[in-house]
Amino acid sequence: MNYYSLNHKAPNTTFKDAVIKGLAPDKGLYFPETITPLPQSFFDNIDNLSHSEIAFEAIKQFVSPEIPEDVLKTIVEETLAFDFPIVKLNDNISTLELFHGPTMAFKDVGARFMARCLGYFNKENTNEVTVLVATSGDTGGAVANGFLGVKGVNVVILYPSGKVSEIQEKQLTTLGQNIKALEVDGVFDDCQDMVKRAFLDKELTSKMQLTSANSINVARWLPQLFYFMFAYKQLHKEHKDIVFSVPSGNFGNVCAGMMAQQLGLPIKHFIASNNDNNVVTNYLQTEEYIPKPSVQTISNAMDVGNPSNFIRIQEIYKKEFTSLKNNLSSYSFSDEETKTALKEIYDKYDYVADPHGAVGYLGCKAYLKNNPNTHCVFLETAHPTKFLDVVEEVIEEKQPLPKQIQAVIGKTKEATKISSYKELKNFLLK
């Protein structure tokens, strides 16, 4: 499989090169040259396949021939070493729990897959690779955990000061070894802009190999399509059209779901559920895409004012607005609405959601008003105890800490404060 830049001003390249570079030389995101749908027999027999078998068949066309099939099978099995259960709330709404991995966030899948791909590509390389990543919350911890101790790989994580939860911060600042954290005086968009600028800085790139572990990297983004297939396996016997409500920030997750759909997965529709960072919600209403500075909310992983992956979504639909709108709805919800939803989910269904999942639940409710005969699945993207201050205040119930959270909560934060790109560059050059 080859990949092309969505800016169309760089040479096409291999999966290996796309993973190692992260971003194309013309600043564009990489996208696969072809998407070959899986045979109908795959979906007819999905009940007889394990998670690893489903994932292997779904991803192999995107990584061949650079990763041999036996190596890929091992990578997939190691990536998926935890569960992805569906929890049914009522006849029309379920949640897909994506928080059973080591850092209790959906990004564990992409980070673990990418770390193993990069480790394979780097195993005989004497040159070190620096993974540079911006996080609005969960990406940092997942990447730190996924790459911890990987030979020949250094990780530098930028996160906005005071705008991630305490547990999220501990997960990305306490591991040590090859993981370094930079606390940025700014918002997520400032972190993301610094990372993109570093990739284009020839003085930097002539002295070190930089790559990204944000969802702009194809190896971080594409494996997220796996769990949409796992959900279908659990729900297809309901005999209702399946709709996914995806809490959306940088839009990599909903875009990965759309890639699963391109592979033939029978998904009726997608909902991009936004908080007050609602660039895409506005776009689908006006057909005008206008990025704006992000604002801080209680669903902080979605605090993105210029979603990187939306250009990939537009590519899937060949930039045809009507085709996109037929397959994607989007709604925006305030912090107050999110808190009300958290309380409602707890009181009605005895289920503790996190703020991001609550936004997804609200997206389900909004869509079902006009589409009552569908089954809507919202993605529960992080464990609620990662947002204890919000969740416990709203549901008025103390929550026990899972072992993954207990493992980091007492550790000492180690982070370097920066406020400018110049400081980032100096840090990297040292």
Side-chain angles (χ1 to χ4, degrees):
M1 173 68 73
N2 281 342
Y3 289 78
Y4 62 94
S5 166
L6 291 178
N7 283 349
H8 303 286
K9 293 177 182 174
N12 291 9
T13 194
T14 62
F15 175 73
K16 177 180 178 179
D17 199 42
V19 173
I20 291 172
K21 284 182 178 174
L23 205 61
D26 64 356
K27 311 179 191 178
L29 272 62
Y30 283 116
F31 197 82
E33 279 186 341
T34 58
I35 305 169
T36 303
L38 296 167
Q40 183 58 43
S41 58
F42 172 83
F43 300 102
D44 292 343
N45 296 317
I46 200 165
D47 289 336
N48 301 318
L49 301 175
S50 68
H51 282 173
S52 293
E53 289 168 333
I54 291 168
F56 171 77
E57 292 298 332
I59 202 72
K60 68 180 180 182
Q61 67 174 284
F62 299 111
V63 306
S64 297
E66 283 87 6
I67 298 183
E69 289 197 357
D70 59 331
V71 175
L72 179 59
K73 285 179 179 177
T74 301
I75 288 173
V76 164
E77 284 171 11
E78 291 178 356
T79 296
L80 302 175
F82 44 91
D83 293 330
F84 302 84
I86 287 276
V87 177
K88 202 168 176 183
L89 300 192
N90 62 36
D91 287 344
N92 292 99
I93 300 178
S94 294
T95 183
L96 172 63
E97 292 186 344
L98 300 177
F99 53 66
H100 293 276
T103 72
M104 314 210 80
F106 78 93
K107 295 174 183 181
D108 280 326
V109 172
R112 287 163 69 85
F113 185 85
M114 182 189 165
R116 284 156 177 77
C117 290
L118 198 56
Y120 173 75
F121 292 144
N122 216 39
K123 69 181 190 301
E124 294 171 2
N125 190 353
T126 55
N127 298 324
E128 290 193 331
V129 175
T130 297
V131 174
L132 194 58
V133 61
T135 184
S136 56
D138 286 324
T139 295
V143 169
N145 187 279
F147 281 87
L148 183 65
V150 174
K151 176 182 171 287
V153 179
N154 296 310
V155 179
V156 178
I157 302 166
L158 286 74
Y159 72 98
S161 181
K163 296 177 175 64
V164 302
S165 76
E166 180 190 359
I167 290 170
Q168 287 174 322
E169 186 174 42
K170 286 288 180 77
Q171 287 181 321
L172 62 95
T173 61
T174 61
L175 292 178
Q177 295 188 52
N178 58 328
I179 312 296
K180 300 287 186 292
L182 298 180
E183 185 176 357
V184 177
D185 181 14
V187 298
F188 169 75
D189 294 314
D190 298 315
C191 301
Q192 185 160 259
D193 288 344
M194 285 187 196
V195 168
K196 288 180 177 177
R197 188 170 169 187
F199 284 127
L200 303 170
D201 189 326
K202 290 183 179 174
E203 184 184 356
L204 261 184
T205 55
S206 66
K207 295 177 181 175
M208 61 197 310
Q209 175 64 64
L210 292 178
T211 191
S212 171
N214 282 87
S215 54
I216 60 175
N217 193 301
V218 292
R220 233 302 310 279
W221 161 60
L222 281 169
Q224 295 177 155
L225 66 84
F226 296 162
Y227 40 71
F228 291 91
M229 294 191 166
F230 302 162
Y232 173 78
K233 176 183 174 180
Q234 294 175 74
L235 285 173
H236 72 97
K237 290 179 180 174
E238 296 273 326
H239 303 298
K240 283 184 180 178
D241 290 331
I242 298 173
V243 174
F244 284 98
S245 176
V246 185
S248 297
N250 226 6
F251 275 73
N253 217 7
V254 69
C255 187
M258 290 171 171
M259 291 295 285
Q261 188 183 47
Q262 294 294 304
L263 289 174
L265 188 68
I267 300 172
K268 170 75 172 176
H269 197 77
F270 289 95
I271 303 158
S273 296
N274 288 165
N275 56 26
D276 282 329
N277 296 280
N278 53 8
V279 171
V280 173
T281 302
N282 292 340
Y283 168 74
L284 290 174
Q285 291 170 352
T286 65
E287 208 172 338
E288 288 186 76
Y289 186 80
I290 305 172
K292 57 186 182 182
S294 61
V295 296
Q296 188 173 359
T297 73
I298 59 171
S299 49
N300 64 283
M302 296 151 61
D303 293 351
V304 182
N306 187 13
S308 291
N309 284 288
F310 195 66
I311 189 172
R312 283 186 172 133
I313 289 175
Q314 290 178 309
E315 185 71 7
I316 290 172
Y317 297 98
K318 309 301 181 195
K319 296 186 171 63
E320 293 176 3
F321 179 76
T322 303
S323 297
L324 171 56
K325 193 166 182 179
N326 285 341
N327 201 40
L328 179 67
S329 301
S330 186
Y331 310 98
S332 171
F333 305 100
S334 68
D335 277 357
E336 284 310 307
E337 289 173 302
T338 304
K339 288 178 180 179
T340 300
L342 281 171
K343 183 74 171 149
E344 179 179 313
I345 295 167
Y346 184 65
D347 289 345
K348 257 188 165 180
Y349 306 112
D350 196 26
Y351 186 84
V352 181
D354 90 295
H356 306 77
V359 172
Y361 169 79
L362 288 169
C364 285
K365 286 184 68 180
Y367 182 81
L368 285 166
K369 284 178 185 175
N370 295 320
N371 302 274
N373 296 320
T374 56
H375 195 94
C376 196
V377 183
F378 69 91
L379 272 51
E380 182 62 2
T381 54
H383 196 278
T385 54
K386 297 184 82 167
F387 311 94
L388 273 180
D389 54 339
V390 175
V391 173
E392 289 185 343
E393 178 192 348
V394 170
I395 70 170
E396 300 175 324
E397 188 79 38
K398 198 82 175 162
Q399 294 300 296
L401 293 180
K403 64 181 186 300
Q404 294 99 314
I405 304 299
Q406 291 177 17
V408 299
I409 198 72
K411 291 186 176 180
T412 302
K413 162 187 165 182
E414 290 185 24
T416 301
K417 292 191 175 185
I418 65 169
S419 57
S420 67
Y421 174 72
K422 183 179 178 182
E423 289 175 285
L424 168 63
K425 183 172 178 176
N426 289 339
F427 181 88
L428 293 172
L429 287 173
K430 285 176 184 174

